[in-house]
């Protein structure tokens, strides 16, 4: 067993017990005693704090453990109704926001146009308006919100929550996103508390949401988002791998053969995103006289079976698949998920063609190449889940219980 409860049972606090219950590793008082080595009285004291905070509840009785019969053990459950989470997923030209339960159920959501090029003041201010309206729609009040999660289409320093030199987010570099979104929420939602705001790259949060909901047993999971740009999220051992400063997964700026003349929005030539992203395909379609300005326009053309869009999407898939052969060889994932505007049959066919041609059979023998299960909601679900995991991790839970006076 890992975690503080496993290393030193006598030191296991209420937060450790909560984690054991939430993970399903120990869901009765007896099981908690066995997992931690704590006495019955001490377990009872720890649980009492969690009950008083409203974080735990008693569920139905479990099976009788003794062959001699007796009363069934009362199970313990995380009470996901004591608070809600706000989450939003920003793309370059549109956004999705929602109110989520602590178990990840979307209670209310809204999608619409928000243009990141309008700048953080405007975009985050509008999200504050959206959040206030969504809370009312969901029948919840601002004081019930325990945290806010935000997915953005750029690299994020996880320590500061600030984007770092984002190629497709002009005006956002180094901006205090957490502070502005917290203020915007307070301005538009009466009774809003000073809640934590977590910011991460959209591909990271999409990968986290998809892995948790659809592939929880996959210990090495990679999601590639192909929309206006291209990015990847990597989940290893149930945790997002970000690198030392949030730059992991930025495969859209790998230089590719044959792309020397393509100028990327990062200022360099020959990047994968400059030749194979939804934005790149849209540009080539526009040059051929087909109305298209973004990855979402390409998605609509693909849905309509437009022959030139289909051909370009398959070609883009081959270019991405060539790069992914290296990614798969390096990380050896069990699942490679393709998501975003181009994530359809034609693009996926192109990816598979080059991936299986270039990667060693050893790297792909146990690999599933799939498309998104959550679709456009994956970033929203991942953003909400990241907030819950942060707030109820053992150390943070202990701090919050003390602040609540329990």
């Amino acid at each position: 067993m890992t975690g503080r409860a496993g290393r030193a049972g006598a030191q296991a606090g209420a937060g450790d017990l909560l984690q054991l219950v939430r993970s399903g590793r120990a869901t009765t008082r007896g099981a908690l005693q066995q997992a931690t080595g704590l006495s019955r009285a001490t377990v009872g004291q720890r649980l009492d704090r969690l009950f008083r905070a409203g974080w735990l509840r008693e569920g139905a009785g479990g099976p009788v453990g003794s062959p001699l019969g007796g009363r069934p053990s009362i199970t313990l459950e995380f009470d996901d109704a004591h608070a809600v989470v706000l989450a939003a997923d920003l793309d370059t030209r549109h956004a999705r926001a929602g109110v989520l339960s602590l178990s990840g159920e979307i209670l209310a959501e809204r999608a619409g146009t928000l243009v990141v090029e309008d700048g953080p003041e405007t975009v985050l201010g509008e999200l504050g308006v959206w959040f206030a309206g969504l809370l009312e729609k969901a029948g919840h009040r601002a004081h019930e919100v325990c945290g806010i999660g935000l997915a953005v289409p750029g690299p994020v320093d996880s320590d500061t929550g600030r984007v770092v030199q984002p190629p497709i987010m002009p005006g956002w570099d180094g901006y205090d996103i957490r502070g502005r979104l917290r203020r915007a929420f307070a301005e538009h939602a009466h009774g809003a508390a000073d809640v934590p705001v977590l910011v991460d790259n959209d591909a990271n949060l999409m990968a986290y949401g998809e892995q948790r909901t659809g592939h929880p047993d996959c210990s090495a999971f990679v999601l590639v988002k192909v929309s206006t740009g291209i990015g990847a999220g990597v989940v290893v051992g149930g945790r997002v791998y970000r690198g030392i400063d949030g730059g992991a997964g930025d495969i859209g700026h790998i230089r590719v053969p044959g792309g020397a003349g393509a100028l990327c929005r990062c200022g360099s030539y020959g990047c994968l995103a400059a030749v194979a992203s939804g934005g790149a395909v849209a540009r080539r379609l526009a040059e051929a006289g087909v109305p298209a300005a973004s990855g979402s326009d390409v998605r609509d053309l693909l849905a309509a079976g437009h022959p030139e869009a289909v051909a370009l999407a398959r070609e883009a898939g081959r270019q991405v698949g060539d790069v992914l052969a290296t990614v798969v060889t390096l990380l050896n994932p069990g699942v490679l998920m393709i998501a975003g505007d181009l994530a359809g049959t034609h693009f996926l066919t192109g990816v598979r063609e080059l991936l299986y041609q270039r990667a060693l059979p050893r790297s792909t023998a146990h690999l599933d190449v799939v498309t998104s299960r959550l679709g456009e909601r994956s970033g929203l679900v991942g953003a909400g889940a990241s907030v819950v995991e942060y707030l109820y991790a053992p150390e943070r839970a202990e701090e919050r219980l003390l602040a609540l006076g329990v």
Side-chain angles (χ1 to χ4, degrees):
M1 204 180 125
T2 60
R4 290 196 303 155
R7 291 196 302 269
Q11 300 302 315
D16 296 296
L17 269 59
L18 179 67
Q19 187 175 52
L20 288 168
V21 172
R22 290 186 62 233
S23 67
R25 287 180 288 170
T27 57
T28 65
R29 286 169 172 80
L32 289 170
Q33 287 177 242
Q34 185 174 10
T36 62
L38 297 175
S39 69
R40 180 174 181 174
T42 302
V43 166
Q45 291 169 357
R46 303 278 198 270
L47 292 178
D48 184 57
R49 297 178 67 200
L50 297 171
F51 282 119
R52 282 187 284 145
W55 296 0
L56 278 189
R57 65 187 173 205
E58 291 186 340
V64 176
S66 170
L68 300 177
R71 292 186 301 173
S73 300
I74 299 298
T75 59
L76 303 168
E77 300 174 350
F78 179 60
D79 189 342
D80 65 355
H82 71 267
V84 294
V85 171
L86 297 175
D89 182 10
L90 291 181
D91 210 330
T92 52
R93 303 192 62 81
H94 64 274
R96 184 176 297 271
V99 181
L100 286 78
S101 74
L102 298 181
S103 60
E105 179 187 358
I106 298 176
L107 306 175
E109 70 177 312
R110 172 179 176 177
T113 300
L114 273 184
V115 182
V116 293
E117 290 187 353
D118 289 343
E121 283 287 329
T122 299
V123 171
L124 298 175
E126 185 63 18
L127 277 181
V129 176
W130 285 24
F131 283 152
L134 285 166
L135 278 171
E136 184 175 352
K137 181 180 177 181
H140 286 275
R141 297 184 179 182
H143 69 82
E144 297 176 77
V145 175
C146 62
I148 301 174
L150 177 65
V152 297
V156 176
D157 183 330
S158 58
D159 290 335
T160 65
R162 300 176 188 239
V163 292
V164 183
Q165 300 176 357
I168 59 176
M169 299 179 71
W172 291 72
D173 185 22
Y175 184 84
D176 181 15
I177 296 175
R178 291 174 177 171
R180 175 65 180 117
L181 189 52
R182 193 179 290 115
R183 292 194 303 274
F185 175 50
E187 288 166 7
H188 299 286
H190 177 70
D194 185 16
V195 297
V197 176
L198 273 63
V199 185
D200 204 345
N201 171 261
D202 54 359
N204 284 347
L205 292 177
M206 290 171 69
Y208 191 55
E210 294 278 7
Q211 189 270 338
R212 284 173 58 89
T213 57
H215 305 273
D217 297 327
C218 181
S219 60
F221 179 96
V222 176
L223 177 143
V224 178
K225 179 187 178 184
V226 187
S227 290
T228 300
I230 299 176
V234 180
V235 180
V236 177
R239 295 178 178 271
V240 174
Y241 177 74
R242 298 182 175 85
I244 60 171
D245 61 4
D250 203 2
I251 65 170
H253 300 286
I254 293 175
R255 307 292 175 83
V256 294
L263 177 63
C264 183
R265 295 183 68 170
C266 73
S268 297
Y269 286 88
C271 294
L272 181 64
V275 298
S277 65
V281 173
R283 184 172 60 252
R284 292 182 65 180
L285 287 169
E287 290 170 354
V290 180
S294 66
S296 58
D297 293 335
V298 177
R299 179 189 61 205
D300 294 340
L301 289 167
L302 290 172
H306 190 283
E308 193 154 3
V310 167
L312 288 174
R314 183 162 180 170
E315 180 184 343
R318 288 170 59 85
Q319 291 167 315
V320 172
D322 198 6
V323 170
L324 290 179
T326 300
V327 172
V328 165
T329 302
L330 178 66
L331 297 178
N332 190 210
V335 175
L336 171 63
M337 179 174 284
I338 308 298
D341 291 328
L342 265 60
T345 301
H346 309 293
F347 184 86
L348 192 63
T349 298
V351 168
R352 284 178 166 144
E353 283 179 14
L354 262 289
L355 172 62
Y356 288 106
Q357 177 183 327
R358 298 292 171 84
L360 290 172
R362 172 70 180 81
S363 301
T364 57
H366 303 288
L367 175 68
D368 289 331
V369 182
V370 300
T371 54
S372 169
R373 292 167 57 113
L374 297 174
E376 295 181 345
R377 294 184 174 90
S378 59
L380 204 64
V381 172
S386 71
V387 172
V388 174
E389 290 306 311
Y390 169 78
L391 289 175
Y392 295 94
E395 293 82 1
R396 176 66 60 178
E398 289 287 352
E399 294 174 4
R400 294 177 63 217
L401 287 169
L402 289 172
L404 290 170
V406 298

